[in-house]
Amino acid sequence: MKNVLSIAGSNCSGGAGIQADLKTFSAHGVFGMSVIVSVVAENTSRVIDIQDVTPDMIGKQIDAVFEDIEVDGVKVGMLSTPDCMKAVAAKLQQYKPRNIVIDPVMYAKNGCPLMEPTAVDTLIETIIPLADVLTPNITEAEKIAAMQISTVADMEAAARKIHAMGCKAVVVKGGHHIGNAVDVLFDGDKFCHFETARIDTKNTHGTGCTFSSAITSNLAKGMDVQEAVEQAK
């Protein structure tokens, strides 16, 4: 069995964050582990409060996993502050795990911020270059690429700009955009579009967490990036 680690925030209502990641890992038949970087008092309607774990404790959790267990994939989710990002980046550089999937979580589905606005520069400098796959949604891609996205062509342009920041591949997610749910993958050489009919549901809490965790699981099990993304979708 492959072992997959989630480095993210704890979501007490169970639909997103670490809790969603662990459920997704189990559904894919991999053994899930967790490093909690923030405790989030959140439900499907609102974020009540966030309490960050100290960078020192984040590092010690990562040490505890890597000194004892072989890690086949790492999913990184919510990193709310520059200090948190630097702590995680330092440990990923130290242990150099395979199959790093980074979901640059900036907002909850209800619009509540989960990352300090001033932390985007640190995200670009320290976290994005570590990603084998980066999975921003439209809003996050607009922030990172500093451009407006309103068409699939814009998604491709943003993917190019973000890829140039150092990640190996980027998936710009269009699931919360208009029309069909189109995700755009760019690996530095070619684009792949993954399009499905939109599901008529209001239950979209935690979809980004689940998607990135599914990609990580699939990479850990030996799939290439295109297949991992296709199967995750």
Side-chain angles (χ1 to χ4, degrees):
M1 180 178 282
K2 300 298 184 180
N3 304 314
V4 182
L5 172 65
S6 171
I7 302 174
S10 170
N11 178 283
C12 58
S13 59
I18 289 283
Q19 287 79 351
D21 295 340
L22 292 174
K23 293 171 185 176
T24 304
F25 295 156
S26 293
H28 283 78
V30 299
F31 179 74
M33 304 168 289
S34 64
V35 167
I36 295 174
V37 299
S38 299
V39 177
V40 186
E42 178 187 10
N43 53 36
T44 61
S45 299
R46 67 186 183 118
V47 174
I48 298 170
D49 203 359
I50 298 170
Q51 183 169 313
D52 295 320
V53 175
T54 65
D56 178 64
M57 188 60 185
I58 292 170
K60 286 174 179 173
Q61 290 179 82
I62 296 172
D63 288 336
V65 171
F66 277 93
E67 74 180 24
D68 186 43
I69 301 169
E70 182 175 351
V71 178
D72 301 296
V74 178
K75 174 261 170 81
V76 180
M78 172 187 173
L79 302 174
S80 60
T81 69
D83 286 344
C84 171
M85 293 175 187
K86 291 173 184 175
V88 170
K91 288 299 178 183
L92 292 179
Q93 289 169 327
Q94 176 183 341
Y95 292 108
K96 296 179 170 56
R98 304 181 302 278
N99 303 315
I100 300 174
V101 177
I102 295 174
D103 184 13
V105 178
M106 296 181 182
Y107 303 94
K109 286 293 180 292
N110 49 42
C112 297
L114 295 173
M115 180 190 295
E116 291 182 2
T118 56
V120 176
D121 288 343
T122 305
L123 177 83
I124 292 170
E125 292 165 11
T126 66
I127 297 297
I128 288 178
L130 301 175
D132 290 303
V133 183
L134 190 81
T135 64
N137 61 28
I138 294 285
T139 303
E140 292 155 353
E142 287 180 330
K143 286 278 187 185
I144 296 167
M147 62 176 284
Q148 186 173 354
I149 299 173
S150 55
T151 65
V152 173
D154 292 339
M155 293 170 72
E156 291 187 347
R160 280 191 185 277
K161 289 185 70 172
I162 295 169
H163 181 270
M165 297 173 182
C167 57
K168 292 179 183 175
V170 56
V171 182
V172 178
K173 302 177 296 187
H176 296 279
H177 204 47
I178 57 172
N180 283 350
V182 181
D183 300 330
V184 173
L185 167 66
F186 182 60
D187 63 4
D189 293 319
K190 66 182 186 298
F191 289 99
C192 292
H193 291 184
F194 303 92
E195 182 172 354
T196 58
R198 186 172 302 280
I199 297 170
D200 183 18
T201 179
K202 61 184 175 128
N203 300 315
T204 58
H205 182 63
T207 48
C209 305
T210 302
F211 183 57
S212 54
S213 295
I215 294 172
T216 312
S217 301
N218 291 336
L219 291 174
K221 292 165 73 173
M223 296 182 192
D224 62 28
V225 171
Q226 183 174 335
E227 185 181 6
V229 173
E230 183 176 10
Q231 292 298 318
K233 186 169 178 68

